[in-house]
Amino acid sequence: MPVFTFRLDDEVAQRFDAVAESAGGRSALLRRLVMTAVDAEEGGTPGPVRRRERATRRFEIRLSDAEIAALDAEADALGMKRTDWVTRLVRCRLHSAAPLPLEERAAVAQAWRELNRIGINLNQATRALNASVMVESGLDVAREAARVASFRTEIRMALAGLGTALKGDLAYWDSLDA
C-alpha cells in the first residue's frame, strides 16, 4: 500500500490534529480527503467529509459499589478506563459498530498472516502434486497429499482463531442485553 509523506508547520499540524481527533484520527481524515479529491477529479460527486460530532454533553448514572467494581474489572480487562468502556458500550449500541480491542485485533492480524502463509504453501503443494502426475516425476504423492492434509488442519485452526476473535468481540457486547 503506498504511503504519502509531507511536511507541515507545527501550528498547522496542531490545528489539523484537532480536526482529525473528531474524525477518527489523522489517517482516517487524510484518506477521506484524498478520496474526496479523487472522486471530484474523476467527475463524480465528492462525498462529504463527515466529522464525528464532538462529544460535549455529560451523562451521569448511579451504580452500586459492586457494579462499579464489576465495571472497573471489565474495563481493566480490556486495558481501558471506566469512562472509555462505558462510552464504547453506548456507542456500540447506538451505532452497532465497535472496533475490536487491541488484543483481538492482534489475534485477527496473526490469523490473517498464518492463513496467507498457509495459502502460499498450499499453492506450492498443489503445483507439486500436479507435477507428480508426469511419468518422469519422482515425487512422493503420498507425502505431498499428507502435506495438503496438514495445511487443511492448519487452515481450520487459523479460521477458528479468527472466528473466535471476531465472535468474542461481538459476543462480549451482545451479552450485555440483561
Side-chain angles (χ1 to χ4, degrees), residues 38-84:
V38 169
D39 288 346
E41 183 65 28
E42 292 176 349
T45 55
V49 177
R50 295 184 322 222
R51 291 186 191 175
R52 193 174 94 204
E53 184 178 345
R54 185 166 180 236
T56 59
R57 301 292 304 236
R58 188 174 186 87
F59 178 76
E60 185 176 318
I61 59 173
R62 296 186 187 275
L63 300 172
S64 69
D65 289 340
E67 290 169 327
I68 290 290
L71 191 154
D72 287 342
E74 290 291 323
D76 286 343
L78 293 173
M80 301 173 83
K81 295 178 186 173
R82 178 191 306 163
T83 303
D84 294 335

mmCIF file of all heavy atoms in Angstrom, residues 38-84:
data_model
loop_
_atom_site.group_PDB
_atom_site.id
_atom_site.type_symbol
_atom_site.label_atom_id
_atom_site.label_comp_id
_atom_site.label_asym_id
_atom_site.label_seq_id
_atom_site.Cartn_x
_atom_site.Cartn_y
_atom_site.Cartn_z
ATOM 1 N N VAL A 38 -10.097 12.642 -5.257
ATOM 2 C CA VAL A 38 -10.069 11.714 -6.392
ATOM 3 C C VAL A 38 -11.453 11.607 -7.013
ATOM 4 O O VAL A 38 -11.592 11.630 -8.236
ATOM 5 C CB VAL A 38 -9.552 10.324 -5.936
ATOM 6 C CG1 VAL A 38 -9.767 9.272 -7.005
ATOM 7 C CG2 VAL A 38 -8.085 10.414 -5.561
ATOM 8 N N ASP A 39 -12.483 11.482 -6.180
ATOM 9 C CA ASP A 39 -13.851 11.413 -6.700
ATOM 10 C C ASP A 39 -14.199 12.671 -7.493
ATOM 11 O O ASP A 39 -14.812 12.600 -8.555
ATOM 12 C CB ASP A 39 -14.865 11.226 -5.564
ATOM 13 C CG ASP A 39 -14.815 9.826 -4.966
ATOM 14 O OD1 ASP A 39 -14.203 8.930 -5.591
ATOM 15 O OD2 ASP A 39 -15.367 9.642 -3.869
ATOM 16 N N ALA A 40 -13.805 13.828 -6.988
ATOM 17 C CA ALA A 40 -14.098 15.090 -7.671
ATOM 18 C C ALA A 40 -13.348 15.163 -8.999
ATOM 19 O O ALA A 40 -13.890 15.625 -10.005
ATOM 20 C CB ALA A 40 -13.719 16.274 -6.783
ATOM 21 N N GLU A 41 -12.110 14.696 -9.030
ATOM 22 C CA GLU A 41 -11.296 14.732 -10.245
ATOM 23 C C GLU A 41 -11.860 13.798 -11.323
ATOM 24 O O GLU A 41 -11.783 14.095 -12.499
ATOM 25 C CB GLU A 41 -9.849 14.349 -9.921
ATOM 26 C CG GLU A 41 -8.890 14.425 -11.074
ATOM 27 C CD GLU A 41 -8.696 15.852 -11.606
ATOM 28 O OE1 GLU A 41 -8.838 16.817 -10.849
ATOM 29 O OE2 GLU A 41 -8.402 15.974 -12.809
ATOM 30 N N GLU A 42 -12.431 12.676 -10.884
ATOM 31 C CA GLU A 42 -12.974 11.703 -11.829
ATOM 32 C C GLU A 42 -14.374 12.082 -12.288
ATOM 33 O O GLU A 42 -15.023 11.320 -12.982
ATOM 34 C CB GLU A 42 -12.986 10.316 -11.196
ATOM 35 C CG GLU A 42 -11.597 9.758 -10.975
ATOM 36 C CD GLU A 42 -11.603 8.420 -10.253
ATOM 37 O OE1 GLU A 42 -12.666 8.011 -9.725
ATOM 38 O OE2 GLU A 42 -10.550 7.783 -10.213
ATOM 39 N N GLY A 43 -14.841 13.237 -11.891
ATOM 40 C CA GLY A 43 -16.149 13.693 -12.342
ATOM 41 C C GLY A 43 -17.288 13.247 -11.464
ATOM 42 O O GLY A 43 -18.426 13.609 -11.687
ATOM 43 N N GLY A 44 -16.986 12.445 -10.476
ATOM 44 C CA GLY A 44 -18.030 12.017 -9.553
ATOM 45 C C GLY A 44 -18.347 13.144 -8.590
ATOM 46 O O GLY A 44 -17.647 14.139 -8.495
ATOM 47 N N THR A 45 -19.427 12.983 -7.907
ATOM 48 C CA THR A 45 -19.752 13.990 -6.908
ATOM 49 C C THR A 45 -19.012 13.627 -5.639
ATOM 50 O O THR A 45 -19.142 12.508 -5.140
ATOM 51 C CB THR A 45 -21.266 14.037 -6.637
ATOM 52 O OG1 THR A 45 -21.698 12.727 -6.282
ATOM 53 C CG2 THR A 45 -22.013 14.528 -7.857
ATOM 54 N N PRO A 46 -18.194 14.531 -5.161
ATOM 55 C CA PRO A 46 -17.432 14.206 -3.966
ATOM 56 C C PRO A 46 -18.365 14.014 -2.777
ATOM 57 O O PRO A 46 -19.286 14.782 -2.569
ATOM 58 C CB PRO A 46 -16.517 15.418 -3.757
ATOM 59 C CG PRO A 46 -17.183 16.520 -4.493
ATOM 60 C CD PRO A 46 -17.968 15.889 -5.609
ATOM 61 N N GLY A 47 -18.110 12.934 -2.054
ATOM 62 C CA GLY A 47 -18.894 12.682 -0.842
ATOM 63 C C GLY A 47 -18.455 13.644 0.248
ATOM 64 O O GLY A 47 -17.309 14.081 0.267
ATOM 65 N N PRO A 48 -19.341 13.965 1.115
ATOM 66 C CA PRO A 48 -18.965 14.884 2.183
ATOM 67 C C PRO A 48 -17.978 14.228 3.133
ATOM 68 O O PRO A 48 -18.041 13.030 3.369
ATOM 69 C CB PRO A 48 -20.291 15.164 2.898
ATOM 70 C CG PRO A 48 -21.127 13.961 2.612
ATOM 71 C CD PRO A 48 -20.703 13.485 1.248
ATOM 72 N N VAL A 49 -17.048 15.003 3.620
ATOM 73 C CA VAL A 49 -16.142 14.520 4.646
ATOM 74 C C VAL A 49 -16.893 14.663 5.961
ATOM 75 O O VAL A 49 -17.090 15.772 6.453
ATOM 76 C CB VAL A 49 -14.822 15.330 4.665
ATOM 77 C CG1 VAL A 49 -13.933 14.853 5.786
ATOM 78 C CG2 VAL A 49 -14.122 15.196 3.326
ATOM 79 N N ARG A 50 -17.360 13.529 6.448
ATOM 80 C CA ARG A 50 -18.179 13.572 7.648
ATOM 81 C C ARG A 50 -17.299 13.659 8.880
ATOM 82 O O ARG A 50 -16.341 12.917 9.022
ATOM 83 C CB ARG A 50 -19.043 12.323 7.746
ATOM 84 C CG ARG A 50 -20.059 12.225 6.646
ATOM 85 C CD ARG A 50 -20.927 11.022 6.859
ATOM 86 N NE ARG A 50 -20.144 9.905 7.375
ATOM 87 C CZ ARG A 50 -20.270 8.661 6.975
ATOM 88 N NH1 ARG A 50 -21.122 8.364 6.069
ATOM 89 N NH2 ARG A 50 -19.530 7.705 7.491
ATOM 90 N N ARG A 51 -17.650 14.533 9.741
ATOM 91 C CA ARG A 51 -16.973 14.621 11.019
ATOM 92 C C ARG A 51 -17.851 13.966 12.064
ATOM 93 O O ARG A 51 -19.062 14.129 12.045
ATOM 94 C CB ARG A 51 -16.784 16.075 11.443
ATOM 95 C CG ARG A 51 -15.815 16.832 10.622
ATOM 96 C CD ARG A 51 -15.620 18.190 11.246
ATOM 97 N NE ARG A 51 -14.890 19.031 10.335
ATOM 98 C CZ ARG A 51 -14.658 20.298 10.559
ATOM 99 N NH1 ARG A 51 -15.107 20.871 11.634
ATOM 100 N NH2 ARG A 51 -13.981 21.005 9.686
ATOM 101 N N ARG A 52 -17.210 13.215 12.933
ATOM 102 C CA ARG A 52 -17.969 12.681 14.035
ATOM 103 C C ARG A 52 -18.255 13.838 14.965
ATOM 104 O O ARG A 52 -17.376 14.632 15.261
ATOM 105 C CB ARG A 52 -17.159 11.609 14.767
ATOM 106 C CG ARG A 52 -18.039 10.805 15.716
ATOM 107 C CD ARG A 52 -17.277 9.676 16.319
ATOM 108 N NE ARG A 52 -16.778 10.179 17.588
ATOM 109 C CZ ARG A 52 -15.731 9.712 18.218
ATOM 110 N NH1 ARG A 52 -15.040 8.758 17.696
ATOM 111 N NH2 ARG A 52 -15.353 10.215 19.361
ATOM 112 N N GLU A 53 -19.473 13.944 15.381
ATOM 113 C CA GLU A 53 -19.853 15.049 16.244
ATOM 114 C C GLU A 53 -19.033 14.993 17.524
ATOM 115 O O GLU A 53 -18.852 13.939 18.121
ATOM 116 C CB GLU A 53 -21.348 14.926 16.583
ATOM 117 C CG GLU A 53 -21.868 16.082 17.388
ATOM 118 C CD GLU A 53 -23.361 15.952 17.664
ATOM 119 O OE1 GLU A 53 -24.017 15.141 17.013
ATOM 120 O OE2 GLU A 53 -23.835 16.668 18.541
ATOM 121 N N ARG A 54 -18.518 16.115 17.915
ATOM 122 C CA ARG A 54 -17.688 16.191 19.108
ATOM 123 C C ARG A 54 -18.565 15.974 20.331
ATOM 124 O O ARG A 54 -19.628 16.576 20.481
ATOM 125 C CB ARG A 54 -17.006 17.552 19.186
ATOM 126 C CG ARG A 54 -16.057 17.639 20.341
ATOM 127 C CD ARG A 54 -15.152 18.845 20.215
ATOM 128 N NE ARG A 54 -14.274 18.874 21.353
ATOM 129 C CZ ARG A 54 -14.167 19.896 22.161
ATOM 130 N NH1 ARG A 54 -14.833 21.001 21.921
ATOM 131 N NH2 ARG A 54 -13.359 19.845 23.191
ATOM 132 N N ALA A 55 -18.111 15.112 21.204
ATOM 133 C CA ALA A 55 -18.861 14.806 22.415
ATOM 134 C C ALA A 55 -18.678 15.941 23.422
ATOM 135 O O ALA A 55 -17.582 16.151 23.933
ATOM 136 C CB ALA A 55 -18.386 13.487 23.013
ATOM 137 N N THR A 56 -19.739 16.671 23.658
ATOM 138 C CA THR A 56 -19.665 17.793 24.597
ATOM 139 C C THR A 56 -20.651 17.640 25.752
ATOM 140 O O THR A 56 -20.570 18.377 26.718
ATOM 141 C CB THR A 56 -19.973 19.120 23.874
ATOM 142 O OG1 THR A 56 -21.273 19.033 23.297
ATOM 143 C CG2 THR A 56 -18.933 19.411 22.804
ATOM 144 N N ARG A 57 -21.566 16.713 25.625
ATOM 145 C CA ARG A 57 -22.603 16.546 26.641
ATOM 146 C C ARG A 57 -22.165 15.529 27.684
ATOM 147 O O ARG A 57 -21.476 14.571 27.381
ATOM 148 C CB ARG A 57 -23.909 16.088 25.997
ATOM 149 C CG ARG A 57 -24.468 17.035 24.947
ATOM 150 C CD ARG A 57 -24.941 18.330 25.555
ATOM 151 N NE ARG A 57 -25.909 18.063 26.589
ATOM 152 C CZ ARG A 57 -27.126 18.545 26.646
ATOM 153 N NH1 ARG A 57 -27.522 19.367 25.716
ATOM 154 N NH2 ARG A 57 -27.925 18.235 27.621
ATOM 155 N N ARG A 58 -22.606 15.750 28.887
ATOM 156 C CA ARG A 58 -22.250 14.893 30.004
ATOM 157 C C ARG A 58 -23.480 14.106 30.425
ATOM 158 O O ARG A 58 -24.604 14.602 30.411
ATOM 159 C CB ARG A 58 -21.760 15.771 31.154
ATOM 160 C CG ARG A 58 -21.180 15.044 32.301
ATOM 161 C CD ARG A 58 -20.609 16.099 33.272
ATOM 162 N NE ARG A 58 -19.907 15.497 34.347
ATOM 163 C CZ ARG A 58 -18.634 15.167 34.328
ATOM 164 N NH1 ARG A 58 -17.923 15.416 33.259
ATOM 165 N NH2 ARG A 58 -18.060 14.615 35.358
ATOM 166 N N PHE A 59 -23.265 12.852 30.809
ATOM 167 C CA PHE A 59 -24.352 11.985 31.237
ATOM 168 C C PHE A 59 -23.910 11.318 32.531
ATOM 169 O O PHE A 59 -22.785 10.842 32.639
ATOM 170 C CB PHE A 59 -24.615 10.935 30.146
ATOM 171 C CG PHE A 59 -25.688 9.955 30.502
ATOM 172 C CD1 PHE A 59 -27.022 10.321 30.449
ATOM 173 C CD2 PHE A 59 -25.364 8.665 30.885
ATOM 174 C CE1 PHE A 59 -28.014 9.409 30.761
ATOM 175 C CE2 PHE A 59 -26.349 7.762 31.198
ATOM 176 C CZ PHE A 59 -27.679 8.130 31.143
ATOM 177 N N GLU A 60 -24.779 11.269 33.483
ATOM 178 C CA GLU A 60 -24.417 10.708 34.784
ATOM 179 C C GLU A 60 -25.334 9.541 35.111
ATOM 180 O O GLU A 60 -26.539 9.595 34.864
ATOM 181 C CB GLU A 60 -24.562 11.788 35.864
ATOM 182 C CG GLU A 60 -24.102 11.349 37.231
ATOM 183 C CD GLU A 60 -24.176 12.469 38.246
ATOM 184 O OE1 GLU A 60 -23.793 13.601 37.894
ATOM 185 O OE2 GLU A 60 -24.611 12.213 39.376
ATOM 186 N N ILE A 61 -24.745 8.475 35.645
ATOM 187 C CA ILE A 61 -25.534 7.342 36.114
ATOM 188 C C ILE A 61 -25.084 6.999 37.530
ATOM 189 O O ILE A 61 -23.956 7.302 37.927
ATOM 190 C CB ILE A 61 -25.394 6.101 35.201
ATOM 191 C CG1 ILE A 61 -23.932 5.648 35.120
ATOM 192 C CG2 ILE A 61 -25.948 6.357 33.825
ATOM 193 C CD1 ILE A 61 -23.751 4.332 34.381
ATOM 194 N N ARG A 62 -25.956 6.380 38.258
ATOM 195 C CA ARG A 62 -25.631 5.962 39.626
ATOM 196 C C ARG A 62 -25.573 4.435 39.646
ATOM 197 O O ARG A 62 -26.479 3.771 39.153
ATOM 198 C CB ARG A 62 -26.671 6.472 40.615
ATOM 199 C CG ARG A 62 -26.694 7.977 40.683
ATOM 200 C CD ARG A 62 -27.641 8.446 41.793
ATOM 201 N NE ARG A 62 -27.779 9.872 41.758
ATOM 202 C CZ ARG A 62 -26.952 10.728 42.350
ATOM 203 N NH1 ARG A 62 -25.928 10.279 43.017
ATOM 204 N NH2 ARG A 62 -27.155 12.021 42.270
ATOM 205 N N LEU A 63 -24.495 3.913 40.204
ATOM 206 C CA LEU A 63 -24.298 2.475 40.312
ATOM 207 C C LEU A 63 -23.923 2.118 41.739
ATOM 208 O O LEU A 63 -23.379 2.950 42.479
ATOM 209 C CB LEU A 63 -23.196 2.011 39.358
ATOM 210 C CG LEU A 63 -23.413 2.272 37.868
ATOM 211 C CD1 LEU A 63 -22.151 1.928 37.086
ATOM 212 C CD2 LEU A 63 -24.587 1.462 37.346
ATOM 213 N N SER A 64 -24.159 0.885 42.102
ATOM 214 C CA SER A 64 -23.761 0.415 43.439
ATOM 215 C C SER A 64 -22.254 0.191 43.451
ATOM 216 O O SER A 64 -21.604 0.136 42.398
ATOM 217 C CB SER A 64 -24.485 -0.895 43.768
ATOM 218 O OG SER A 64 -24.001 -1.933 42.938
ATOM 219 N N ASP A 65 -21.704 0.024 44.637
ATOM 220 C CA ASP A 65 -20.266 -0.246 44.759
ATOM 221 C C ASP A 65 -19.892 -1.535 44.029
ATOM 222 O O ASP A 65 -18.850 -1.607 43.375
ATOM 223 C CB ASP A 65 -19.861 -0.341 46.231
ATOM 224 C CG ASP A 65 -19.896 1.007 46.937
ATOM 225 O OD1 ASP A 65 -19.861 2.045 46.238
ATOM 226 O OD2 ASP A 65 -19.955 1.027 48.187
ATOM 227 N N ALA A 66 -20.756 -2.542 44.123
ATOM 228 C CA ALA A 66 -20.483 -3.811 43.444
ATOM 229 C C ALA A 66 -20.495 -3.630 41.925
ATOM 230 O O ALA A 66 -19.667 -4.218 41.215
ATOM 231 C CB ALA A 66 -21.512 -4.858 43.860
ATOM 232 N N GLU A 67 -21.418 -2.830 41.426
ATOM 233 C CA GLU A 67 -21.482 -2.589 39.986
ATOM 234 C C GLU A 67 -20.267 -1.803 39.505
ATOM 235 O O GLU A 67 -19.717 -2.088 38.434
ATOM 236 C CB GLU A 67 -22.772 -1.852 39.630
ATOM 237 C CG GLU A 67 -24.014 -2.715 39.788
ATOM 238 C CD GLU A 67 -25.304 -1.915 39.682
ATOM 239 O OE1 GLU A 67 -25.332 -0.732 40.094
ATOM 240 O OE2 GLU A 67 -26.298 -2.498 39.189
ATOM 241 N N ILE A 68 -19.830 -0.829 40.286
ATOM 242 C CA ILE A 68 -18.621 -0.063 39.935
ATOM 243 C C ILE A 68 -17.411 -0.987 39.910
ATOM 244 O O ILE A 68 -16.574 -0.920 38.996
ATOM 245 C CB ILE A 68 -18.401 1.116 40.917
ATOM 246 C CG1 ILE A 68 -19.453 2.196 40.713
ATOM 247 C CG2 ILE A 68 -16.990 1.683 40.789
ATOM 248 C CD1 ILE A 68 -19.312 2.959 39.406
ATOM 249 N N ALA A 69 -17.323 -1.879 40.896
ATOM 250 C CA ALA A 69 -16.196 -2.817 40.934
ATOM 251 C C ALA A 69 -16.226 -3.736 39.708
ATOM 252 O O ALA A 69 -15.181 -3.989 39.088
ATOM 253 C CB ALA A 69 -16.242 -3.642 42.219
ATOM 254 N N ALA A 70 -17.411 -4.206 39.335
ATOM 255 C CA ALA A 70 -17.533 -5.064 38.160
ATOM 256 C C ALA A 70 -17.187 -4.290 36.896
ATOM 257 O O ALA A 70 -16.502 -4.804 36.007
ATOM 258 C CB ALA A 70 -18.948 -5.643 38.075
ATOM 259 N N LEU A 71 -17.659 -3.051 36.801
ATOM 260 C CA LEU A 71 -17.366 -2.201 35.650
ATOM 261 C C LEU A 71 -15.859 -1.973 35.541
ATOM 262 O O LEU A 71 -15.275 -2.087 34.456
ATOM 263 C CB LEU A 71 -18.098 -0.871 35.795
ATOM 264 C CG LEU A 71 -18.132 0.050 34.581
ATOM 265 C CD1 LEU A 71 -19.365 0.938 34.653
ATOM 266 C CD2 LEU A 71 -16.905 0.885 34.442
ATOM 267 N N ASP A 72 -15.223 -1.654 36.671
ATOM 268 C CA ASP A 72 -13.774 -1.448 36.666
ATOM 269 C C ASP A 72 -13.025 -2.706 36.239
ATOM 270 O O ASP A 72 -12.041 -2.626 35.500
ATOM 271 C CB ASP A 72 -13.301 -0.984 38.043
ATOM 272 C CG ASP A 72 -13.678 0.452 38.343
ATOM 273 O OD1 ASP A 72 -13.998 1.208 37.404
ATOM 274 O OD2 ASP A 72 -13.664 0.833 39.541
ATOM 275 N N ALA A 73 -13.500 -3.863 36.693
ATOM 276 C CA ALA A 73 -12.849 -5.124 36.313
ATOM 277 C C ALA A 73 -12.967 -5.357 34.808
ATOM 278 O O ALA A 73 -11.999 -5.767 34.163
ATOM 279 C CB ALA A 73 -13.470 -6.289 37.088
ATOM 280 N N GLU A 74 -14.141 -5.094 34.250
ATOM 281 C CA GLU A 74 -14.336 -5.256 32.805
ATOM 282 C C GLU A 74 -13.444 -4.294 32.020
ATOM 283 O O GLU A 74 -12.823 -4.673 31.031
ATOM 284 C CB GLU A 74 -15.808 -5.032 32.428
ATOM 285 C CG GLU A 74 -16.740 -6.108 32.907
ATOM 286 C CD GLU A 74 -16.540 -7.425 32.193
ATOM 287 O OE1 GLU A 74 -16.271 -7.423 30.981
ATOM 288 O OE2 GLU A 74 -16.652 -8.460 32.863
ATOM 289 N N ALA A 75 -13.414 -3.058 32.455
ATOM 290 C CA ALA A 75 -12.595 -2.055 31.765
ATOM 291 C C ALA A 75 -11.115 -2.402 31.872
ATOM 292 O O ALA A 75 -10.379 -2.326 30.882
ATOM 293 C CB ALA A 75 -12.873 -0.664 32.331
ATOM 294 N N ASP A 76 -10.678 -2.806 33.072
ATOM 295 C CA ASP A 76 -9.271 -3.175 33.272
ATOM 296 C C ASP A 76 -8.880 -4.364 32.399
ATOM 297 O O ASP A 76 -7.771 -4.408 31.873
ATOM 298 C CB ASP A 76 -9.004 -3.512 34.743
ATOM 299 C CG ASP A 76 -8.975 -2.277 35.634
ATOM 300 O OD1 ASP A 76 -8.831 -1.150 35.097
ATOM 301 O OD2 ASP A 76 -9.102 -2.440 36.864
ATOM 302 N N ALA A 77 -9.796 -5.312 32.233
ATOM 303 C CA ALA A 77 -9.504 -6.491 31.418
ATOM 304 C C ALA A 77 -9.202 -6.112 29.968
ATOM 305 O O ALA A 77 -8.464 -6.803 29.278
ATOM 306 C CB ALA A 77 -10.681 -7.469 31.468
ATOM 307 N N LEU A 78 -9.770 -4.995 29.517
ATOM 308 C CA LEU A 78 -9.524 -4.518 28.157
ATOM 309 C C LEU A 78 -8.474 -3.416 28.112
ATOM 310 O O LEU A 78 -8.222 -2.838 27.062
ATOM 311 C CB LEU A 78 -10.831 -4.014 27.528
ATOM 312 C CG LEU A 78 -11.885 -5.087 27.264
ATOM 313 C CD1 LEU A 78 -13.184 -4.440 26.805
ATOM 314 C CD2 LEU A 78 -11.398 -6.079 26.235
ATOM 315 N N GLY A 79 -7.918 -3.080 29.279
ATOM 316 C CA GLY A 79 -6.925 -2.018 29.327
ATOM 317 C C GLY A 79 -7.534 -0.650 29.078
ATOM 318 O O GLY A 79 -6.907 0.212 28.477
ATOM 319 N N MET A 80 -8.754 -0.465 29.534
ATOM 320 C CA MET A 80 -9.475 0.783 29.291
ATOM 321 C C MET A 80 -9.794 1.474 30.609
ATOM 322 O O MET A 80 -9.819 0.842 31.663
ATOM 323 C CB MET A 80 -10.793 0.500 28.554
ATOM 324 C CG MET A 80 -10.639 -0.186 27.215
ATOM 325 S SD MET A 80 -12.226 -0.674 26.512
ATOM 326 C CE MET A 80 -12.729 0.863 25.766
ATOM 327 N N LYS A 81 -10.083 2.754 30.514
ATOM 328 C CA LYS A 81 -10.597 3.491 31.656
ATOM 329 C C LYS A 81 -12.096 3.230 31.743
ATOM 330 O O LYS A 81 -12.746 2.900 30.744
ATOM 331 C CB LYS A 81 -10.360 4.987 31.481
ATOM 332 C CG LYS A 81 -8.904 5.370 31.472
ATOM 333 C CD LYS A 81 -8.773 6.856 31.245
ATOM 334 C CE LYS A 81 -7.316 7.239 31.084
ATOM 335 N NZ LYS A 81 -7.162 8.633 30.711
ATOM 336 N N ARG A 82 -12.643 3.402 32.923
ATOM 337 C CA ARG A 82 -14.071 3.178 33.153
ATOM 338 C C ARG A 82 -14.919 3.985 32.180
ATOM 339 O O ARG A 82 -15.842 3.463 31.543
ATOM 340 C CB ARG A 82 -14.406 3.566 34.593
ATOM 341 C CG ARG A 82 -15.851 3.434 34.945
ATOM 342 C CD ARG A 82 -16.173 4.070 36.292
ATOM 343 N NE ARG A 82 -15.323 3.558 37.356
ATOM 344 C CZ ARG A 82 -15.178 4.182 38.529
ATOM 345 N NH1 ARG A 82 -15.809 5.295 38.788
ATOM 346 N NH2 ARG A 82 -14.405 3.674 39.449
ATOM 347 N N THR A 83 -14.615 5.263 32.035
ATOM 348 C CA THR A 83 -15.399 6.133 31.155
ATOM 349 C C THR A 83 -15.306 5.685 29.706
ATOM 350 O O THR A 83 -16.305 5.691 28.984
ATOM 351 C CB THR A 83 -14.912 7.595 31.288
ATOM 352 O OG1 THR A 83 -15.019 7.965 32.659
ATOM 353 C CG2 THR A 83 -15.709 8.529 30.428
ATOM 354 N N ASP A 84 -14.109 5.285 29.267
ATOM 355 C CA ASP A 84 -13.945 4.819 27.893
ATOM 356 C C ASP A 84 -14.764 3.558 27.638
ATOM 357 O O ASP A 84 -15.367 3.389 26.576
ATOM 358 C CB ASP A 84 -12.468 4.550 27.581
ATOM 359 C CG ASP A 84 -11.644 5.818 27.600
ATOM 360 O OD1 ASP A 84 -12.212 6.903 27.382
ATOM 361 O OD2 ASP A 84 -10.420 5.714 27.835
#
